[in-house]
Amino acid sequence: MKRSDFWFDLPDDRIAQTPIEPRDHARLMSVNRRTGEIGEGHFYDLPKLLHPGDLLVVNDSRVLPARLYGVKDTGAKIEVLLLEEKGEGRWEVMVHPGRRMKIGAKVTFGDGLLDCEVLDVLPGGNRLVEFHCEGNFYATLDRIGQMPLPHYITAKLEDQERYQTVYNRERGSAAAPTAGLHFTLELMDKLRAMGVAFAPITLHIGLGTFRPVKVEEITDHKMHTEHFTLPQSTADAINRTKAAGGRVIGVGTTSCRTLESVASRLGSIQAYEGDTDIFIYPGYQFQVLDGLITNFHLPESTLIMLVSAFAGRELILKAYEQAIRDGFRFYSFGDSMCIL
């Protein structure tokens, strides 16, 4: 299967630059995998699509304000993007401009609240740095860091919590699990009251989620690796739901990749912590998911390949064509799709 099989033409004005307020007033497209029926409404209509006994699996990862702007000891300005914590104050980071960040280089952030030193230049050009600050590192990061918004969002985000889900708990992501941005606490309470349950997984999203597929034959693409945790309570909830005939619905491609990774690796859903580089594209046989809530994705991306695997490529491209025609908003701050 070719990368070009997942191309569609998206006008620039369909790329959402700001989030909808309130969160659950984003539009919602429903896609029925069995009948091919496509419906339109709003995210607050989600209770009409769900049944008592359904289970929504959500990613509770919290996005770090991982973009830092600092000054090198030479006076040069440097941008540093935190990618992965390595322990003892050490992080793998992406730097710009990279040529100025050699081993031993030092950078100060926030008028001296935080500083770092380059320990190593890693394969691919990232750096290993060690941070130092007087107080708590994460509290300092909250004060001076900025949200690492995707490159296609150029508008300033006034409220940084709008790039977080309302149920976030475990900090560590470099990008938001955006399918969950549409939930409000009130909507979650309404769903629980009708018998729909929620269960968390944690997958810390790396910037590799935005890495484009550059090879024409998609099977030649190498996926990035991300760390996840599937707790015992969630494994139990999934197995109870399946045994009772309910539906397990992933909120976001990250929840999907976590559940399918565990099932593929262990043959069943069990508590598990590890790394995944699973690449889901048409032809994949889903073992866990009965439904998926997701945003509208980039053309030729691994994410549209995943949803095409779940619903069928032709149906997804038909739904995307309708979404573009009917003015739906795309990407991280865009509208939502529920596939059942």
Side-chain angles (χ1 to χ4, degrees):
M1 187 163 282
K2 306 298 184 184
R3 177 186 65 183
S4 54
D5 291 334
F6 301 91
W7 170 257
F8 61 92
D9 187 27
L10 183 70
D12 287 344
D13 62 2
R14 292 290 185 270
I15 301 173
Q17 292 295 314
T18 56
I20 287 288
E21 294 290 352
R23 291 172 181 258
D24 61 0
H25 279 53
R27 296 175 69 184
L28 176 66
M29 175 173 281
S30 59
V31 176
N32 188 308
R33 295 187 293 161
R34 182 175 56 84
T35 66
E37 182 181 1
I38 299 172
E40 297 184 13
H42 291 85
F43 201 78
Y44 54 70
D45 296 318
L46 188 61
K48 299 177 183 177
L49 301 176
L50 302 182
H51 305 150
D54 286 344
L55 176 69
L56 295 178
V57 179
V58 300
N59 183 2
D60 66 2
S61 183
R62 179 173 176 81
V63 188
L64 293 170
R67 179 168 278 121
L68 293 165
Y69 295 96
V71 179
K72 191 169 170 276
D73 45 10
T74 62
K77 294 182 179 179
I78 293 287
E79 178 183 344
V80 173
L81 186 63
L82 279 62
L83 298 179
E84 184 178 353
E85 186 176 10
K86 299 296 186 179
E88 299 180 345
R90 298 180 177 189
W91 285 76
E92 180 179 348
V93 301
M94 185 183 299
V95 296
H96 180 77
R99 66 183 183 277
R100 298 178 178 174
M101 290 285 277
K102 299 179 181 179
I103 294 175
K106 297 180 180 179
V107 184
T108 301
F109 310 93
D111 294 325
L113 291 175
L114 181 68
D115 63 72
C116 76
E117 179 178 352
V118 178
L119 302 180
D120 197 8
V121 178
L122 304 176
N126 291 342
R127 268 52 171 186
L128 179 67
V129 304
E130 185 172 65
F131 284 99
H132 308 93
C133 64
E134 293 262 337
N136 179 272
F137 172 77
Y138 288 104
T140 303
L141 197 61
D142 285 338
R143 288 183 61 184
I144 65 176
Q146 296 187 21
M147 282 296 168
L149 296 178
H151 62 88
Y152 48 75
I153 295 177
T154 57
K156 183 180 179 181
L157 181 63
E158 298 297 336
D159 178 6
Q160 297 206 99
E161 285 299 308
R162 284 302 275 110
Y163 197 54
Q164 307 279 13
T165 63
V166 296
Y167 48 74
N168 74 83
R169 291 191 308 177
E170 303 292 336
R171 60 190 174 207
S173 278
T178 55
L181 293 179
H182 308 297
F183 282 94
T184 63
L185 295 176
E186 293 75 15
L187 179 59
M188 294 176 73
D189 287 343
K190 183 176 181 180
L191 289 167
R192 290 190 184 98
M194 63 175 279
V196 175
F198 289 82
I201 59 92
T202 303
L203 182 144
H204 292 316
I205 304 169
L207 290 182
T209 193
F210 300 115
R211 186 159 66 92
V213 177
K214 295 183 177 180
V215 293
E216 181 57 19
E217 181 57 54
I218 66 172
T219 54
D220 293 334
H221 178 70
K222 175 63 177 173
M223 284 290 288
H224 57 286
T225 299
E226 293 168 317
H227 192 76
F228 70 87
T229 303
L230 195 161
Q232 185 66 55
S233 59
T234 295
D236 292 342
I238 291 170
N239 291 324
R240 282 197 308 269
T241 299
K242 290 287 191 180
R247 298 179 297 183
V248 174
I249 300 165
V251 178
T253 57
T254 56
S255 295
C256 169
R257 294 179 69 237
T258 297
L259 299 184
E260 295 297 327
S261 294
V262 172
S264 297
R265 196 168 297 173
L266 303 181
S268 63
I269 288 295
Q270 305 171 36
Y272 192 84
E273 180 175 0
D275 295 325
T276 181
D277 61 356
I278 190 170
F279 182 15
I280 297 175
Y281 53 86
Y284 178 84
Q285 298 298 311
F286 286 83
Q287 300 183 52
V288 184
L289 282 197
D290 303 298
L292 179 65
I293 296 172
T294 187
N295 282 23
F296 292 90
H297 303 295
L298 283 160
E300 299 186 338
S301 65
T302 60
L303 304 179
I304 193 174
M305 293 172 190
L306 185 153
V307 296
S308 295
F310 190 67
R313 187 182 69 89
E314 291 185 1
L315 180 55
I316 286 297
L317 291 179
K318 178 184 176 183
Y320 272 49
E321 181 182 356
Q322 179 173 322
I324 293 168
R325 184 178 66 245
D326 292 352
F328 276 69
R329 304 163 81 242
F330 276 63
Y331 305 165
S332 296
F333 285 144
D335 294 314
S336 183
M337 174 183 284
C338 181
I339 308 171
L340 293 169

